[in-house]
Amino acid sequence: HAFCVRDPCGFICLLLTYFSVFYADYVVIQYVLIPAYSDSVWCSLHGVVFNLILLLLLACHAKAVFSDPGMVPLPETAIDFSDLRSQSRMNERGCEGWTVCSRCETYRPPRAHHCRVCQRCIRRMDHHCPWINNCVGELNQKYFIQFLFYTGLASLYSMVLVVSAWVWRIRSEREGAAEGDGEEEEAPSKHLIVAHYIILLVESVLFGVFVMVIFYDQLVSIITDETPLEQMKNRLMKDRPSSSSQHQPHTHAHTRKPRIPLLREVFGRGSMLLWLLPLHSTPPSAGGISYSALPDYDV
Ligand SMILES: [Zn+2]
Ligand SMILES: [Zn+2]
């Protein structure tokens, strides 16, 4: 498998992700926990919890980056598309909703879309995400959402830690000034600390807001059972009801499934606590595609 490593934007985003995580860890340990909580058990407690969140973040990220998002396999032999009846013949064979991708030159199951960056068709494609340098599709959406969750959690946590350490620093400085002992901190290091606090705060707010917006969109798209591409398509079809939209085989949007089964399709059938861990879950049985490039199709 050659996962989309050739996209330079994706490569830069990957480096930026790793750099941001290690920078946050460095500032939290070096400039927040050690100076502000040095004498108490809180130092190691916050350190352990914060690093556990970062570890889970990186684990989910790695799973999202390196797993197959659900690529539609390319055919081993070239398919003759000159036979226009092949589409209807496939529908007769119970491959309802299958379409042809002219760029991959293959048949693809319903809800698969072509990604121009990956140059492949992806099953239930959500979008191509440069932050994981991969598509978000049927098989890795769970890891992607978990990555968003832990990024949001880490952002929130570091914001709280930085603000509380900053408040502690100002208060202890004031007390030091009131007591009047000449224990001056070297000025450059003080400025350096404040600079690190500000950079980490900006990083946390930016990433925090960004991932929360995407996290919300992802949950909505699961609960409504529509990927962004399908939302756009359905909106377009709603705008012109006179067109042949009634003939579209893609009508699942009208028969809404309940939310929990829809969430289970993405996060697995196990306990909800397992939804938080980047573990491989058995694909849902309902509607699961047991699947070869071309089922039963004689060329
Ligand atoms: Zn394709
Ligand atoms: Zn892609």
Side-chain angles (χ1 to χ4, degrees):
H1 279 289
F3 296 116
C4 350
V5 282
R6 274 160 289 171
D7 176 30
C9 172
F11 186 66
I12 292 167
C13 284
L14 278 192
L15 289 183
L16 201 60
T17 307
Y18 292 128
F19 177 78
S20 309
V21 167
F22 289 116
Y23 177 76
D25 204 21
Y26 168 71
V27 173
V28 162
I29 290 176
Q30 188 72 27
Y31 297 105
V32 173
L33 293 181
I34 290 179
Y37 296 95
S38 56
D39 301 330
S40 72
V41 70
W42 288 107
C43 178
S44 33
L45 195 70
H46 281 308
V48 166
V49 174
F50 188 71
N51 276 275
L52 198 67
I53 293 173
L54 291 188
L55 212 66
L56 283 164
L57 183 160
L58 288 176
C60 298
H61 183 255
K63 284 288 253 182
V65 171
F66 294 110
S67 18
D68 173 10
M71 283 186 185
V72 176
L74 295 174
E76 274 154 31
T77 51
I79 298 170
D80 181 17
F81 287 110
S82 60
D83 182 8
L84 286 173
R85 288 169 306 149
S86 59
Q87 186 73 43
S88 54
R89 250 163 69 190
M90 275 176 60
N91 287 347
E92 281 165 27
R93 283 168 182 272
C95 305
E96 187 92 14
W98 282 57
T99 50
V100 169
C101 176
S102 56
R103 279 160 288 193
C104 296
E105 301 190 322
T106 188
Y107 294 100
R108 58 186 176 191
R111 308 189 78 178
H113 289 279
H114 188 84
C115 171
R116 269 175 237 168
V117 185
C118 298
Q119 299 179 336
R120 290 288 289 275
C121 281
I122 311 290
R123 271 145 59 191
R124 214 181 71 207
M125 178 183 166
D126 194 274
H127 67 289
H128 185 92
C129 177
W131 293 99
I132 60 168
N133 196 22
N134 201 354
C135 258
V136 178
E138 185 174 277
L139 299 183
N140 69 345
Q141 190 181 23
K142 168 181 164 175
Y143 306 128
F144 177 67
I145 295 174
Q146 288 168 338
F147 164 61
L148 297 177
F149 175 77
Y150 288 115
T151 306
L153 203 63
S155 302
L156 207 68
Y157 200 175
S158 42
M159 271 187 257
V160 170
L161 287 176
V162 167
V163 168
S164 61
W166 208 341
V167 168
W168 168 85
R169 189 167 285 280
I170 291 168
R171 198 178 292 163
S172 63
E173 261 169 30
R174 230 177 250 160
E175 277 164 18
E179 282 165 22
D181 43 13
E183 201 193 315
E184 274 282 312
E185 231 178 314
E186 316 93 89
S189 112
K190 203 168 121 190
H191 289 309
L192 186 74
I193 291 169
V194 172
H196 278 307
Y197 284 178
I198 291 171
I199 295 171
L200 184 57
L201 270 183
V202 170
E203 182 194 318
S204 303
V205 170
L206 283 182
F207 278 107
V209 170
F210 183 58
V211 297
M212 270 176 222
V213 169
I214 301 177
F215 182 78
Y216 173 78
D217 281 346
Q218 288 282 311
L219 288 190
V220 168
S221 98
I222 292 174
I223 284 169
T224 56
D225 200 17
E226 276 182 341
T227 66
L229 289 166
E230 292 162 358
Q231 279 171 23
M232 235 169 2
K233 207 170 123 197
N234 287 346
R235 217 167 285 160
L236 281 174
M237 287 191 333
K238 229 180 265 172
D239 286 346
R240 14 174 213 144
S242 55
S243 71
S244 61
S245 58
Q246 291 94 329
H247 300 296
Q248 293 288 328
H250 192 77
T251 50
H252 72 273
H254 301 289
T255 51
R256 286 268 158 88
K257 297 183 209 163
R259 286 171 184 198
I260 296 297
L262 283 170
L263 286 167
R264 280 199 191 285
E265 269 182 35
V266 174
F267 290 101
R269 274 172 293 170
S271 149
M272 284 194 192
L273 279 176
L274 291 176
W275 291 7
L276 293 173
L277 296 175
L279 300 170
H280 177 74
S281 54
T282 46
S285 53
I289 308 158
S290 63
Y291 172 72
S292 66
L294 208 55
D296 284 347
Y297 187 73
D298 44 345
V299 180

